Amino acid sequence: MARARAYREAAPSALIVYGVKAFPNVALLRLFAGEGLGADVSTLGELTYARKAGVAGERLIVHGNNKSDEELSAAVASGASLVVLDALDEVERAAAAGVPRVLIRVTPGIDAETHDAIKTGHHGSKFGLPPRQAREAVRLARAAGLDVAGLHVHIGSQLLDTSGVRMTIDWLAAFAAECRVELGWTPEIVNLGGGLGIQYVEDEPAPSPGEFVRALLTELDRAWRRHDLPEPRLVLEPGRSLVGPAAYTLYRVGVVKQASETATYVAVDGGMSDNPRPQLYGARYSALLANRAAEKPAGSFAVCGKHCESGDVMIESVALPEPRRGDLLAVPCTGAYTLGMGSNYNALPRPAAVLAAEGKARLIRRRETVEDVLRLEQG
Ligand code: LLP
């Protein structure tokens, strides 16, 4: 919750909404709501999590690059304050569904410095509308009677500095100034998405939420003044930077195998089913033996999972004390896009999630059983 407060304190007048996709969890959403945060949802399922947690409609933002009519209607029924339009055909469909207030998602054509799979603001992205179409969307949406409150941009995730976002703000101010000239309209709300990265490994530091937000506010103020635009209301949608560093995944060590002169594998009771990020993004993690954390490293080890693929390697090399069957291997920084992106590959039940604070632990998602994995089978 310290990170939620850091966001709130750095931008007290902004609306901060948690990017639910990072880890959809009702208990967590309730805690964030208690800190004054809302939720950014991108599917009916995520919207249902937010509603179940009692997130107020005025703090709910509905996204999605391919919203179904059911999702648009559910957004209206939930009283979501803003729906972010991502395609021209959503204008009519949102109006027909009774959506009152929208943002237009624009693609600035900025290539964020991060893994290709998690860039979103580049030219040719599947998200948002290129500038000319975005201006057209503003015009059409206003003509359709929608309250077009502002603009949305999100250039990518796991950003390790502020340069891309600052560049985006400058671009957005120029775009808003063009909208003023062409449409006689300026954004009341500017939603800059999420994107702040976290430090997974020692050699990849990340800015703190406070540093990130302050840099962004300074740039927003400067850019908006330069174009003489009215001060906008800011919305931010952090996901990873709120929950990523909060979680450790605990694995039980099983087989320890010297596979070659240079590779000794420590096999754990999970793997790419509870954390597919190493395979998808070449993500790097660190690890420690939680039950022998004070012991000196005995060498470098590879950590692999129990899935039937050679690629199921979570960490290529990490220094550990001599690992033994039964040890507890802790992998830090696994709160975002891990359990939430998990699968049941090899019919493996997914792990539980436990919230620990002030010496107390609380189950916030129970461990799956094999029966859970089989529950959709027929016959
Ligand atoms: N807002 C929008 C519109 C987004 O698309 C996202 C993330 C966020 C906010 C939250 O971004 P964050 O603060 O978490 O960077 N599975 C990938 C990350 C995908 C991010 C998708 N969109 C990964 O594991 O790295």
Side-chain angles (χ1 to χ4, degrees):
M1 289 302 122
R3 293 188 146 237
R5 274 171 224 150
Y7 267 101
R8 296 267 292 142
E9 279 161 21
S13 59
L15 172 63
I16 314 285
V17 294
Y18 165 55
V20 174
K21 69 204 80 176
F23 178 41
N25 181 266
V26 174
L28 200 59
L29 275 158
R30 280 210 185 100
L31 287 174
F32 281 141
E35 295 291 334
L37 269 61
D40 136 26
V41 299
S42 55
T43 60
L44 179 61
E46 289 180 1
L47 176 64
T48 310
Y49 270 87
R51 293 191 75 179
K52 196 154 183 199
V55 176
E58 70 259 23
R59 294 198 196 137
L60 249 181
I61 301 198
V62 177
H63 274 281
N65 74 307
N66 182 22
K67 300 174 197 72
S68 64
D69 289 337
E70 189 189 12
E71 285 171 331
L72 288 170
S73 304
V76 174
S78 69
S81 64
L82 291 166
V83 171
V84 182
L85 301 188
D86 203 285
L88 281 174
D89 96 318
E90 282 188 351
V91 172
E92 280 303 319
R93 292 173 52 237
V99 169
R101 224 163 173 232
V102 298
L103 301 180
I104 306 295
R105 179 165 181 172
V106 58
T107 314
I110 288 172
D111 211 349
E113 238 177 86
T114 187
H115 190 280
D116 278 352
I118 52 177
K119 290 177 181 177
T120 46
H122 54 288
H123 178 66
S125 167
K126 77 162 183 164
F127 296 102
L129 290 159
R132 196 171 317 143
Q133 285 186 46
R135 267 198 304 278
E136 182 62 2
V138 173
R139 194 185 65 72
L140 289 173
R142 292 177 77 213
L146 293 167
D147 174 5
V148 185
L151 298 170
H152 175 275
V153 279
H154 171 80
I155 58 165
S157 196
Q158 184 56 10
L159 308 174
L160 292 175
D161 67 45
T162 57
S163 59
V165 181
R166 285 187 286 119
M167 207 190 295
T168 303
I169 292 171
D170 290 346
W171 183 91
L172 202 62
F175 180 77
E178 279 165 31
C179 288
R180 178 176 51 197
V181 173
E182 279 194 25
L183 307 166
W185 172 92
T186 52
E188 254 172 70
I189 294 178
V190 167
N191 181 336
L192 297 175
L196 172 59
I198 58 171
Q199 181 167 13
Y200 285 97
V201 286
E202 221 168 336
D203 57 2
E204 272 179 17
S208 69
E211 282 163 352
F212 186 75
V213 174
R214 281 190 292 275
L216 188 149
L217 283 175
T218 306
E219 197 64 31
L220 194 64
D221 185 54
R222 193 182 300 152
W224 249 246
R225 275 176 202 274
R226 191 180 308 133
H227 291 276
D228 199 20
L229 289 159
E231 193 186 333
R233 167 120 207 258
L234 178 64
V235 179
L236 296 174
E237 305 175 330
R240 185 190 321 264
S241 54
L242 285 175
V243 294
Y248 289 75
T249 304
L250 295 178
Y251 299 96
R252 190 68 72 184
V253 171
V255 165
V256 178
K257 182 191 289 178
Q258 181 162 6
S260 72
E261 300 66 30
T262 50
T264 301
Y265 286 106
V266 181
V268 297
D269 57 348
M272 62 195 290
S273 56
D274 58 79
N275 185 0
R277 300 194 68 260
Q279 290 74 31
L280 285 172
Y281 319 115
R284 291 159 64 214
Y285 286 88
S286 67
L288 62 139
L289 288 185
N291 54 322
R292 290 156 54 204
E295 284 182 34
K296 291 223 158 45
S300 286
F301 299 87
V303 177
C304 68
K306 63 181 281 141
H307 292 281
C308 303
E309 302 210 9
S310 293
D312 179 30
V313 174
M314 195 180 312
I315 305 175
E316 274 172 17
S317 173
V318 61
L320 294 173
E322 199 66 48
R324 295 192 287 259
R325 171 171 288 278
D327 279 339
L328 261 189
L329 184 98
V331 176
C333 275
T334 52
Y337 306 112
T338 48
L339 196 45
M341 286 175 68
S343 72
N344 291 119
Y345 183 34
N346 288 134
L348 210 66
R350 283 168 293 186
V354 176
L355 194 74
E358 290 153 9
K360 293 198 196 95
R362 175 155 75 96
L363 191 67
I364 56 170
R365 181 185 153 105
R366 77 159 167 81
R367 185 192 302 279
E368 275 179 349
T369 61
V370 172
E371 288 69 48
D372 289 327
V373 177
L374 284 163
R375 75 186 177 278
L376 303 179
E377 295 301 304
Q378 306 281 315

